[in-house]
Amino acid sequence: MATVKSTEGRKGKRIVLGRNESSAERPITTPFQMSIAEAFKLFVSVKEAENVKPRTKAEYHVQFGYFQEWLNANNSDLLHVQDISPTIIRSYINYLAYEKVRYEGVDYRVNNDVSGLSPYTVNIRIRFLKVWFNVLVKEEVLVKSPTSSIKLMKVELDTKQTLSEEEIQLLLQQPNQRSYAQFRD
């Protein structure tokens, strides 16, 4: 038999809460554990349904690969996406910013043994994590995103010195205007 909330002193329909349970007994969400790989597959599925471009989807796989590689090396005991905390995310960011060797594993780049990625690169990886965890919150896999309190790294503005008016005039006088290609350029 269904439990019915009392309607004494009020107008309208009766509220049926369910079979023999009160609102205090019902859980708000169903607690379940999802592996990190399953959570990423769900994320990709959601993004495919949103019709993201193939290049964006490929970049999600690359960024997830970086994060998963770090997790396997540093937190191999983590099995479920629900176990990832803001502290773990900050540890990953600190690793990227101060410990990760630049161009490690890239064949065509010279490894200068410089530690720490640029803030631009770190911010790309933070943005991926924010998008991933926000999708998991929307899909009700997580109650709260572990990246909600994480901010992007500060990046210094890249100021470029502009040419003076005299420099522009000198530059425009350089091409031989009798030659079509130089006149065009």
Side-chain angles (χ1 to χ4, degrees):
M1 179 174 192
T3 305
V4 178
K5 195 171 186 178
S6 173
T7 58
E8 292 177 25
R10 75 180 274 276
K11 296 179 182 177
K13 295 183 179 181
R14 295 185 311 166
I15 301 170
V16 178
L17 297 174
R19 295 198 179 268
N20 298 327
E21 62 181 349
S22 67
S23 61
E25 295 171 353
R26 279 187 297 155
I28 296 171
T29 59
T30 307
F32 67 95
Q33 297 289 315
M34 182 178 277
S35 76
I36 295 169
E38 289 172 336
F40 181 71
K41 285 179 186 175
L42 173 65
F43 167 74
V44 170
S45 167
V46 168
K47 289 300 182 179
E48 284 174 342
E50 292 175 2
N51 200 23
V52 296
K53 296 188 184 291
R55 181 175 177 191
T56 304
K57 185 178 158 187
E59 190 61 26
Y60 289 149
H61 284 277
V62 169
Q63 297 302 326
F64 178 71
Y66 292 142
F67 183 62
Q68 189 173 35
E69 180 181 316
W70 178 82
L71 275 178
N72 291 339
N74 297 286
N75 295 292
S76 59
D77 57 330
L78 282 178
L79 301 175
H80 302 103
V81 72
Q82 289 85 353
D83 298 332
I84 298 174
S85 67
T87 303
I88 291 171
I89 301 295
R90 282 190 195 94
S91 295
Y92 177 60
I93 293 168
N94 287 333
Y95 163 76
L96 294 173
Y98 306 110
E99 298 172 27
K100 171 95 171 103
V101 177
R102 288 188 189 184
Y103 310 120
E104 185 177 44
V106 180
D107 296 333
Y108 59 89
R109 295 297 297 251
V110 176
N111 187 353
N112 295 333
D113 294 329
V114 177
S115 293
L117 302 178
S118 76
Y120 296 104
T121 304
V122 174
N123 284 344
I124 289 169
R125 296 187 186 183
I126 294 171
R127 283 186 188 101
F128 159 73
L129 292 174
K130 284 181 168 286
V131 170
W132 179 34
F133 287 114
N134 286 340
V135 166
L136 295 178
V137 169
K138 287 178 187 173
E139 293 294 314
E140 299 179 356
V141 173
L142 298 173
V143 175
K144 184 179 176 189
S145 170
T147 60
S148 61
S149 62
I150 305 290
K151 293 182 180 180
L152 297 176
M153 292 187 77
K154 290 189 178 187
V155 178
E156 292 185 28
L157 292 176
D158 188 19
T159 56
K160 300 195 186 234
Q161 190 174 8
T162 59
L163 297 175
S164 68
E165 214 171 297
E166 296 86 29
E167 292 171 324
I168 292 173
Q169 289 301 323
L170 284 171
L171 184 64
L172 292 174
Q173 292 172 2
Q174 293 305 312
N176 180 359
Q177 294 185 6
R178 292 183 187 155
S179 166
Y180 172 76
Q182 290 187 21
F183 176 75
R184 178 199 64 205
D185 294 343

